[in-house]
Amino acid sequence: MCGIVGYIGHRNAVPILVKGLEHLEYRGYDSAGIACLNLEKENLFIKKEKGKLSELKRELEKHPAYAQIGIGHTRWATHGEPSKLNAHPHVDDKSKIILVHNGIIENHSDLKRELQAKGHRFFSGTDTEVAVNLIASYYKKNNFVEAFRKAISRLQGFYAFVALDKSDPDTLYVFKRSNPLVIGLGKGENFVASDTPALLPFTSDVVFLEDDEYAVLTKDKVKIFSLATGRMIKRHSTRIKWNMAQAQKGGYPHFMLKEIYEQPTVLQEAFNRITNKEDVIRFENMTPRIENRLRKIRKVFMVSCGTAYHAGLTGCLWMEQNAGIPSEARVSSEFRYQKPIVTKNDLVILITQSGETADTLAALREAKTHGAMTLAVVNVLGSTIAREADYTIYTHAGPEIGVASTKAYTAQLVTLVFLSLYMARIKKTLSSRQIAGYLDSIRKLPKACSKALKQSTAIINCAKHQYRRHSFLYIGRGVNFPVALEGALKLKEISYAHAHGYAAGEMKHGPIALIDKNQPVICIAPHSKTRDKMLSNVEEIRARKGIVIAIGTENDKELKKISSYFIPVPKVDESLSAIIAVIPLQLFAYHVAVLNRRDVDQPRNLAKSVTVE
Ligand code: M6R
């Protein structure tokens, strides 16, 4: 949460910082600000505004600035309400040091008291102001690095910083502990940002900072040091293959819609990447040693948050059915505190789009303390979880900017089904023929996904009739139960309507009491062993005058007849139907949100990457 950027070079920093923040706004958007040091006039320029980046941009148009070094921030409030006063950058009470910060300083109250006793004055409600004053309190003889290091050694928690020293307008200082920071390398200029999309307009060559490392950036050099030893660290740069077009809307009104429509390509590319002509499943960087370890695995945990947790629920079903390995999906924030019974014979799979989710990262570290093997299924290249796991499979869905996860979810699902088949091969639970048959079904998914996307007219029609309702139920069975949870999450996060997903068999155990003529129920009932049971659920809802919005296989006349709305999806293998059934639910959530005039890509109170607990 929160996005931070920094620039030093030969160009005007202001538009560069603003462009970077545009690409980081998904991380938080309740206020934004920049600070620049003007070398010629030797003055500090700070502009901050409450609300979205557009507010800051408006102000910057009225008060243009020119500087060749600066830092910027887009905020998701943790300490202190969203306001101009609490917006970053923050300065110490003598305005010597300027800081932007992502994360939480856990011991900020104690430090604040200590600093107040020494005469420091505070104006905002943020923990950042404590950090910047602490740095200032150690600042002597123009030795910023020493002050920075001393302060960091006392700041508990997880955070990333970009800082400026007013007396040294040729240097940017950055530090990372658990929260992400990427350095972008240019010619006669260097950049830093919370995430790579903010750097892509300027450079594709990046260096990932590791935890407890700080870096000193001038326009011609980037030097990385260990906080513990103060020694310089050599780090090779990485070339990012994502391009700018992928990080733009490409003619769509919202990133979310663009990302929904990218799913056939994501599925096709996953298929091309992971399988070869001989129907062999291969993952990048897999080694005989890793494969040997995987072969010995007795139990699997899939640990993740939000949408990624829903992918984990489905992934566990596949892992049990295909590879015969007992599998459990857990929410990361629970897992990390549950004292989980995990052994060295277990595989803990961390599923995450961003690779930075604080609870999932903590769960990964917890799993490691038990000696378990850790495997990350991650979208963002070079992210912390990707780097810390014993083995990482990238989902390669491309940048996902919309806060509501769509293509990253289907990419996670298809990766997990491949992983279950890979495990089935090495555990010998399925024959080559069975695996080849399964791959034939997966091969059909991109086309089926394109077909499912063609139902948008029927979905918009249904959304137009139902978008004013305040409560929605979603029900499904088997692999489509997690889809019900996911459909409900999608709707609530972007439309703010209450939505709840249930296993359809649970209806009679409580939720059916909610049914009346005003209650829409989205019934996910594609062709499957439990389709008839779903039809009974539909009848029970109808008998109580509920509004049935059915997702069913395209030729299912019987279901169509008893539903208020019928959204057809193409027939695919039952166990893969989750990957297709979610498509109309994503579109439904999108159109309900648009009709309600919600901010689809940046829904209130949320941020794309949850880097605090
Ligand atoms: O980056 P991650 O996949 O770890 O993020 C997990 C959740 O925060 C994320 O899926 C969230 O639930 C989405 N906003 C859902 O659309």
Side-chain angles (χ1 to χ4, degrees):
M1 328 202 97
C2 298
I4 56 183
V5 286
Y7 173 77
I8 181 159
H10 51 82
R11 294 193 258 176
N12 184 7
V14 178
I16 292 175
L17 296 174
V18 170
K19 173 66 75 202
L21 291 178
E22 279 172 9
H23 290 282
L24 294 177
E25 220 185 351
Y26 71 86
R27 301 176 67 87
Y29 31 83
D30 54 43
S31 61
I34 61 164
C36 301
L37 287 174
N38 188 319
L39 308 188
E40 277 138 41
K41 294 186 194 150
E42 286 186 1
N43 62 5
L44 170 64
F45 170 87
I46 299 190
K47 189 63 66 195
K48 342 189 210 188
E49 284 305 315
K50 182 180 171 193
K52 296 208 162 179
L53 185 61
S54 51
E55 301 298 326
L56 177 71
K57 282 198 212 164
R58 209 165 295 142
E59 278 306 300
L60 287 170
E61 269 164 30
K62 283 193 233 153
H63 308 279
Y66 186 87
Q68 288 166 335
I69 179 169
I71 59 181
H73 188 273
T74 178
R75 181 168 188 248
W76 188 90
T78 56
H79 294 66
E81 57 169 13
S83 69
K84 191 166 168 172
L85 186 68
N86 288 330
H88 298 217
H90 285 279
V91 291
D92 66 290
D93 61 356
K94 308 266 176 341
S95 294
K96 284 182 176 165
I97 315 274
I98 310 103
L99 185 73
V100 287
H101 158 216
N102 166 209
I104 289 179
I105 311 294
E106 287 166 358
N107 56 339
H108 67 99
S109 307
D110 292 347
L111 291 171
K112 188 170 181 175
R113 272 193 294 277
E114 181 185 315
L115 289 163
Q116 276 168 331
K118 289 184 186 157
H120 284 263
R121 289 168 306 138
F122 291 87
F123 305 95
S124 78
T126 65
D127 50 351
T128 313
E129 205 186 2
V130 176
V132 74
N133 274 284
L134 189 69
I135 301 170
S137 74
Y138 288 122
Y139 187 78
K140 281 183 195 97
K141 295 185 193 156
N142 286 351
N143 193 341
F144 182 87
V145 167
E146 200 44 36
F148 200 46
R149 287 186 65 197
K150 276 191 180 151
I152 287 165
S153 69
R154 298 208 50 210
L155 294 166
Q156 290 166 12
F158 301 108
Y159 47 88
F161 287 152
V162 184
L164 292 173
D165 171 359
K166 200 178 162 199
S167 66
D168 176 14
D170 294 321
T171 318
L172 268 181
Y173 300 90
V174 307
F175 172 76
K176 165 184 157 43
R177 177 176 290 158
S178 271
N179 285 20
L181 263 193
V182 193
I183 295 167
L185 307 175
K187 287 212 172 82
E189 56 184 355
N190 287 307
F191 311 80
V192 61
S194 299
D195 199 356
T196 43
L199 302 174
L200 286 178
F202 314 109
T203 180
S204 304
D205 294 323
V206 303
V207 173
F208 293 102
L209 214 57
E210 300 281 352
D211 280 354
D212 283 342
E213 288 177 355
Y214 65 93
V216 179
L217 277 64
T218 58
K219 67 186 175 54
D220 299 311
K221 277 208 173 70
V222 170
K223 288 184 183 166
I224 300 175
F225 301 88
S226 150
L227 179 73
T229 63
R231 266 196 221 119
M232 200 157 105
I233 293 166
K234 278 207 173 142
R235 174 88 23 87
H236 291 298
S237 63
T238 306
R239 178 147 289 180
I240 299 292
K241 292 196 189 113
W242 290 358
N243 60 41
M244 270 314 293
Q246 286 177 299
Q248 284 164 347
K249 283 187 200 155
Y252 285 89
H254 297 99
F255 279 110
M256 181 184 177
L257 194 62
K258 174 180 175 243
E259 287 156 8
I260 289 174
Y261 277 89
E262 281 173 349
Q263 290 174 109
T265 312
V266 167
L267 292 171
Q268 188 63 57
E269 286 178 359
F271 192 86
N272 298 346
R273 194 176 54 249
I274 297 174
T275 63
N276 69 8
K277 284 191 192 109
E278 286 78 45
D279 279 346
V280 174
I281 296 168
R282 345 146 274 179
F283 291 111
E284 52 194 338
N285 304 323
M286 178 61 78
T287 62
R289 197 182 60 81
I290 298 167
E291 185 168 299
N292 262 339
R293 202 159 168 206
L294 286 172
R295 193 175 284 114
K296 291 180 193 138
I297 291 302
R298 299 221 191 109
K299 182 169 179 183
V300 168
F301 292 88
M302 299 206 188
V303 186
S304 35
C305 301
T307 288
Y309 168 66
H310 300 153
L313 287 168
T314 312
C316 283
L317 295 174
W318 286 325
M319 194 59 85
E320 292 199 334
Q321 285 161 11
N322 296 334
I325 310 173
S327 303
E328 263 181 50
R330 299 269 186 100
V331 171
S332 311
S333 54
E334 291 298 315
F335 181 85
R336 62 182 290 192
Y337 294 118
Q338 271 168 344
K339 293 198 185 144
I341 303 175
V342 178
T343 72
K344 61 180 175 34
N345 301 317
D346 299 341
L347 173 66
V348 177
I349 301 179
L350 297 307
I351 308 162
T352 168
Q353 188 286 129
S354 62
E356 301 292 349
T357 301
D359 285 319
T360 306
L361 177 59
L364 161 72
R365 290 174 179 167
E366 173 71 25
K368 282 194 158 186
T369 65
H370 295 261
M373 179 177 183
T374 56
L375 186 160
V377 174
V378 182
N379 195 37
V380 176
L381 186 79
S383 51
T384 310
I385 292 173
R387 283 179 290 123
E388 286 198 16
D390 295 326
Y391 179 60
T392 294
I393 303 176
Y394 284 109
T395 50
H396 294 291
E400 190 180 65
I401 313 286
V403 164
S405 187
T406 52
K407 64 172 180 173
Y409 173 65
T410 41
Q412 285 160 354
L413 286 177
V414 77
T415 304
L416 290 172
V417 77
F418 277 125
L419 184 61
S420 73
L421 294 175
Y422 182 88
M423 295 296 283
R425 178 179 67 74
I426 64 175
K427 289 258 183 194
K428 300 190 173 40
T429 51
L430 292 180
S431 67
S432 311
R433 244 176 88 190
Q434 283 170 309
I435 293 175
Y438 218 121
L439 290 182
D440 270 341
S441 305
I442 301 176
R443 192 176 278 119
K444 293 181 185 132
L445 288 175
K447 221 174 182 177
C449 183
S450 298
K451 213 167 168 198
L453 286 167
K454 294 212 169 94
Q455 289 305 319
S456 66
T457 311
I459 295 165
I460 293 169
N461 175 48
C462 174
K464 277 186 177 157
H465 291 136
Q466 303 301 326
Y467 77 97
R468 285 201 181 88
R469 308 239 177 240
H470 296 294
S471 163
F472 292 80
L473 283 179
Y474 286 71
I475 58 170
R477 289 170 184 260
V479 286
N480 286 304
F481 162 49
V483 175
L485 301 180
E486 175 58 12
L489 175 63
K490 246 12 17 133
L491 187 77
K492 78 183 119 194
E493 73 178 320
I494 58 169
S495 76
Y496 318 149
H498 175 257
H500 206 120
Y502 272 102
E506 282 288 291
M507 279 298 273
K508 293 189 201 64
H509 301 282
I512 202 162
L514 294 169
I515 307 296
D516 64 15
K517 65 179 176 24
N518 297 314
Q519 180 63 59
V521 187
I522 291 89
C523 304
I524 306 146
H527 134 90
S528 75
K529 286 187 288 299
T530 53
R531 175 256 182 204
D532 291 353
K533 299 257 181 275
M534 282 301 299
L535 256 68
S536 306
N537 288 120
V538 170
E539 292 289 11
E540 287 155 12
I541 296 159
R542 240 164 61 98
R544 288 156 184 87
K545 305 210 168 12
I547 305 157
V548 173
I549 302 170
I551 314 295
T553 304
E554 51 201 359
N555 55 5
D556 195 338
K557 294 196 183 91
E558 200 183 351
L559 177 61
K560 186 173 180 181
K561 206 166 148 206
I562 58 173
S563 308
S564 321
Y565 302 88
F566 178 72
I567 316 290
V569 285
K571 185 172 178 183
V572 294
D573 184 276
E574 174 182 352
S575 68
L576 298 173
S577 62
I579 300 177
I580 300 305
V582 77
I583 305 295
L585 305 187
Q586 295 170 342
L587 283 172
F588 182 69
Y590 172 79
H591 288 295
V592 169
V594 169
L595 288 162
N596 279 304
R597 298 178 187 277
R598 303 300 190 216
D599 191 340
V600 172
D601 285 333
Q602 295 176 343
R604 70 181 182 200
N605 305 338
L606 291 174
K608 179 84 183 151
S609 189
V610 183
T611 53
V612 293
E613 253 193 87

